[in-house]
Amino acid sequence: MIKIERHVNLNNWINVSIYNKLVDQFSSRIEAVRFAKRIAKERRMKVLDLDDNEKSHKDLLNDS
């Protein structure tokens, strides 16, 4: 499972991890979601978005 969540100590960074292992960090939420969706498609996995932002990844990408 691929997980998107805010960094615990640095609120402006978003972590993308696979099975609790950090893969990459982003300062832009849209870039993090795009990266996670691309990796999920390649590995046939699901994305769990734990970021408590008011917009969902579907709203940001407009390709649901």
Side-chain angles (χ1 to χ4, degrees):
M1 178 171 302
I2 300 173
K3 190 168 47 171
I4 301 171
E5 61 185 346
R6 292 259 172 208
H7 190 281
V8 177
N9 296 325
L10 304 171
N11 195 28
N12 60 331
W13 286 99
I14 300 168
N15 296 336
V16 176
S17 56
I18 299 176
Y19 297 119
N20 292 330
K21 184 174 182 181
L22 183 65
V23 177
D24 209 342
Q25 291 181 314
F26 297 90
S27 59
S28 168
R29 178 170 160 70
I30 188 74
E31 289 177 19
V33 171
R34 283 184 180 153
F35 176 77
K37 285 187 76 170
R38 188 184 48 153
I39 296 295
K41 187 175 181 180
E42 290 173 2
R43 297 183 182 207
R44 296 182 182 173
M45 301 174 85
K46 292 187 179 187
V47 176
L48 178 62
D49 191 355
L50 298 177
D51 188 15
D52 58 352
N53 203 345
E54 64 275 356
K55 292 188 177 181
S56 70
H57 68 282
K58 291 178 184 176
D59 294 335
L60 291 171
L61 294 178
N62 286 332
D63 76 57
S64 54

